[in-house]
Amino acid sequence: MLNRPVPQRSPEELIALRRRYLNPTLSLSYQEPLKIVRGEGAYLFDQHGQPYLDMVNNVCHVGHCHPKVVAAGAAQMAMLNTNTRYLHDNLVEYALRLTETLPQSLSVVFMTNSGTEANDLALRIARAYTAANDVIVLDHAYHGNSPSMIDLSPYKFNGRGGRGKPAHVQFVPMPDSYRDANAQDADYAESHAAHIDNAINRIHARGEKPAVFYAEAMLGCGGQTVLPPGYLQQAYARVRAAGGVCLADEVQIGFGRDGEYFWSFQSHGVVPDIVTMGKPIGNGHPVGAVVTTPEIAAAFVTGMEYFNTFSGNPVSCAIAMAVLEVIQEEKLQQNALETGAYLQQGLRQLAQQHSLIGDVRGRGLFLGAELVRDRESKVAATAEAKRIVEILKTQQILLSTDGPLDNVLKIKPPVVFQRSHADQFLQALGDALHRL
């Protein structure tokens, strides 16, 4: 058993072994799954060395296998990796550097191993501070895969295999500036935020109080949907008036992906009480974080220790610091702004030529193109969206779909994505639209 090399199996063999030894809930992408063996920048490579432009991997934020990030992790791993019960410079230095990117009030950091863990821990912190239990979320949202986060994710509990809404969770309609008939009304954001009052009333009817409102400023699973201006300000005010706190889930959209702002919630002119992070924070390494105010953090000091064996370890913190450095050194937030605008303009030009594209939306390098069979009725072109994903795969471009009707092409590549990559994608997408 010792020193046995890993066999290089064919995709067919791997599929058969997965079916035998792994749980079938572990899904694969594409009708003919890819065997990916290497990554570099905005590309993934299969076993034959064929490059695929990665349009959907927001985990490897600063590019697959970025040399500086890899070197930072390898160097620290060769020296020490241990838990936070020992003093180490990396943990406090990362906390300092991370909070420098946030509003001044958000100054206490809890490290975790993932975005799911971050959202799970944040729920405990919010409940400790408010002495309340119930939660308000947006419809179609997804906040993680732990039991507590499945309970907070309509994307899951109202989806296939879901058990429906738990009693302690209230969800409110997701503002949809494309499909809502009143989206152009001057009071659209305010009228939508009024649903928060209804949720609070339902909580009070249970004899409970709201603990926390979870919201992403842009919803990936909701279809790359951008919340309308003013909505979060109105929603936050209502939640806080009822005694709850407000959480910004930046797991998919943080660290400069927005382009104009480092954190997407900043585009709405709000300061949340708690921010959660994951995915891009470690460029694929398992790390996450919760950042909150000193007052809220103090309420979590109840006598019960929060200890997480691997969170905040020296290796994770070294990698996370390298990610922050690369974002700054390579001006990747600015790249997300400029390249994202270029890509969005290209998508809008395609929409002028192809009625299948009903809407183009997003900010920075977090974009969506919603496909419809008819622009008047807005009937979802779900099958066509799936077909385009498969066509683009034959052109060595990786894409995916999402949204309530699964008809939105979701575009969230590593933020090293360049104009040349955008041109490659737009050409291939245009050809696919012609074929359809």
Side-chain angles (χ1 to χ4, degrees):
M1 297 292 290
L2 295 176
N3 300 318
R4 188 168 69 179
V6 177
Q8 299 304 297
R9 299 180 174 95
S10 68
E12 293 74 21
E13 290 176 299
L14 291 172
I15 291 170
L17 288 169
R18 283 171 67 108
R19 287 173 177 166
R20 181 174 179 182
Y21 292 104
L22 301 178
N23 191 280
T25 59
L26 186 64
S27 64
L28 285 164
S29 298
Y30 306 108
Q31 294 174 3
E32 294 184 6
L34 289 167
K35 180 180 180 181
I36 298 297
V37 300
R38 187 171 72 86
E40 182 179 346
Y43 288 91
L44 292 170
F45 297 80
D46 68 12
Q47 73 273 28
H48 305 299
Q50 175 67 57
Y52 288 81
L53 180 61
D54 190 350
M55 297 291 300
V56 75
N57 197 325
N58 63 327
V59 179
C60 292
H61 189 65
V62 300
H64 294 280
C65 303
H66 192 287
K68 181 165 186 171
V69 177
V70 172
Q76 184 58 56
M77 193 177 296
M79 186 179 301
L80 173 71
N81 198 24
T82 187
N83 64 61
T84 53
R85 286 197 172 116
Y86 301 100
L87 295 175
H88 197 278
D89 290 303
N90 283 7
L91 175 58
V92 294
E93 183 62 24
Y94 183 67
L96 286 168
R97 296 186 190 185
L98 182 63
T99 54
E100 285 174 356
T101 70
L102 289 156
Q104 189 174 5
S105 60
L106 295 165
S107 59
V108 181
V109 178
F110 296 78
M111 299 301 296
T112 66
N113 299 300
S114 68
T116 292
E117 274 196 5
N119 277 329
D120 187 87
L121 175 61
L123 180 60
R124 290 178 57 196
I125 295 170
R127 285 173 168 167
Y129 177 71
T130 60
N133 181 68
D134 285 27
V135 183
I136 302 171
V137 297
L138 289 166
D139 198 5
H140 308 300
Y142 173 64
H143 294 293
N145 59 40
S146 68
S148 72
M149 289 302 105
I150 294 296
D151 284 350
L152 268 58
S153 301
Y155 180 75
K156 290 294 186 181
F157 67 63
N158 277 339
R160 288 181 297 176
R163 297 184 178 182
K165 182 185 74 65
H168 68 278
V169 174
Q170 302 296 330
F171 65 89
V172 296
M174 176 188 71
D176 188 335
S177 299
Y178 175 58
R179 291 185 171 272
D180 288 351
N182 62 336
Q184 302 307 314
D185 293 353
D187 65 346
Y188 175 64
E190 183 175 359
S191 63
H192 235 287
H195 290 292
I196 299 286
D197 293 329
N198 298 332
I200 292 169
N201 290 336
R202 292 194 295 271
I203 291 170
H204 287 163
R206 296 182 63 242
E208 298 287 348
K209 298 184 297 182
V212 57
F213 170 54
Y214 275 66
E216 302 163 278
M218 298 188 286
L219 285 80
C221 293
Q224 306 296 94
T225 298
V226 181
L227 296 181
Y231 174 79
L232 281 183
Q233 292 177 342
Q234 294 279 344
Y236 277 23
R238 286 168 161 81
V239 171
R240 286 168 173 160
V245 296
C246 300
L247 181 147
D249 182 333
E250 293 275 330
V251 169
Q252 292 201 61
I253 53 180
F255 292 91
R257 179 170 292 279
D258 177 280
E260 187 174 357
Y261 297 96
F262 199 79
W263 303 106
S264 194
F265 68 78
Q266 293 172 312
S267 67
H268 291 266
V270 296
V271 177
D273 304 298
I274 305 173
V275 181
T276 55
M277 308 162 192
K279 297 186 191 300
I281 190 172
N283 209 52
H285 182 80
V287 58
V290 180
V291 185
T292 189
T293 68
E295 182 183 9
I296 293 174
F300 195 58
V301 183
T302 63
M304 179 186 291
E305 180 188 21
Y306 170 67
F307 177 69
N308 185 326
T309 304
F310 294 108
S311 69
N313 69 75
V315 172
S316 293
C317 290
I319 288 172
M321 279 191 285
V323 170
L324 287 179
E325 290 170 1
V326 170
I327 293 171
Q328 183 177 17
E329 291 167 358
E330 299 185 9
K331 298 180 174 57
L332 294 183
Q333 180 182 338
Q334 186 67 23
N335 182 66
L337 177 66
E338 295 175 357
T339 306
Y342 179 79
L343 178 55
Q344 188 165 168
Q345 180 185 24
L347 287 168
R348 294 190 185 282
Q349 290 173 348
L350 285 178
Q352 294 174 3
Q353 304 167 31
H354 303 279
S355 61
L356 196 63
I357 299 179
D359 188 43
V360 175
R361 53 182 177 258
R363 292 177 59 88
L365 283 172
F366 192 86
L367 304 174
E370 181 160 354
L371 305 189
V372 294
R373 292 177 179 171
D374 177 76
R375 285 184 174 176
E376 292 298 319
S377 64
K378 298 180 182 178
V379 173
T382 303
E384 291 86 345
K386 294 292 186 184
R387 180 65 182 142
I388 283 176
V389 169
E390 293 293 338
I391 293 173
L392 262 62
K393 180 204 166 197
T394 68
Q395 302 302 309
Q396 289 77 53
I397 295 175
L398 305 181
L399 196 62
S400 187
T401 61
D402 221 324
L405 303 173
D406 204 18
N407 66 322
V408 180
L409 301 179
K410 61 179 180 181
I411 301 165
K412 46 180 185 175
V415 293
V416 293
F417 191 82
Q418 301 293 313
R419 285 194 176 200
S420 59
H421 300 137
D423 289 336
Q424 179 185 349
F425 165 67
L426 291 167
Q427 178 65 51
L429 178 59
D431 291 346
L433 290 165
H434 275 297
R435 289 178 59 177
L436 290 178

